[in-house]
Amino acid sequence: MRRGGREVQYGTPRHVLADEAEGYLLAHAHLDQARREAEELCAGMPWLTTAQAEELTGHYVRRRLDVTRQLLHATVRRAEELRQEYESRYADLRHALLRRHAACACALLAGAGTVSALAVLLTR
């Protein structure tokens, strides 16, 4: 992955720190968005008391964050599945390519050996 014009390897402390900071900021952005949505919902219900509005806001925020967490976990699981599928397919393609190159090299060597043997036979 390229960050700032330089190649950064996964698993390095710098990369891990950047990922943690990004996750922290995303979590707070989701929390803020959930609070705004809850406040808009409560604003549309003027009959709620302050305590009821706070309770509804808290419930909405918790539920919204649970749904977001579930979606993120599902996305991570699917990404892992896709990564495994692509790595498996890539390994299969590499092996097939290696076999083809080996077969071509063998055919080329056999052809060169045949031409060399015929050249020796014809020069006698």
Side-chain angles (χ1 to χ4, degrees):
M1 177 174 210
R2 297 184 71 77
R3 289 183 186 227
R6 295 190 347 219
E7 192 72 22
V8 177
Q9 297 296 323
Y10 287 104
T12 61
R14 182 174 162 207
H15 185 73
V16 170
L17 180 62
D19 286 347
E20 286 180 10
E22 182 179 13
Y24 178 81
L25 293 173
L26 283 173
H28 277 281
H30 282 285
L31 179 62
D32 291 341
Q33 179 65 29
R35 281 190 186 134
R36 279 193 299 276
E37 290 174 6
E39 289 169 359
E40 289 174 11
L41 177 65
C42 290
M45 297 184 229
W47 61 87
L48 293 175
T49 65
T50 303
Q52 289 172 329
E54 287 174 2
E55 184 179 339
L56 180 61
T57 299
H59 177 73
Y60 181 89
V61 168
R62 283 189 304 277
R63 184 66 188 130
R64 172 76 191 291
L65 292 179
D66 287 342
V67 169
T68 300
R69 189 175 296 111
Q70 290 170 358
L71 289 172
L72 289 174
H73 284 300
T75 301
V76 168
R77 277 192 305 274
R78 183 62 182 144
E80 181 62 28
E81 290 171 3
L82 287 174
R83 186 182 65 77
Q84 289 174 354
E85 288 176 23
Y86 285 128
E87 284 179 356
S88 174
R89 180 67 178 146
Y90 180 72
D92 292 344
L93 290 173
R94 283 184 63 192
H95 289 121
L97 186 62
L98 179 62
R99 283 192 303 270
R100 288 181 188 142
H101 278 95
C104 287
C106 289
L108 185 61
L109 286 174
T114 303
V115 169
S116 175
L118 284 174
V120 168
L121 288 176
L122 290 176
T123 56
R124 288 190 178 182

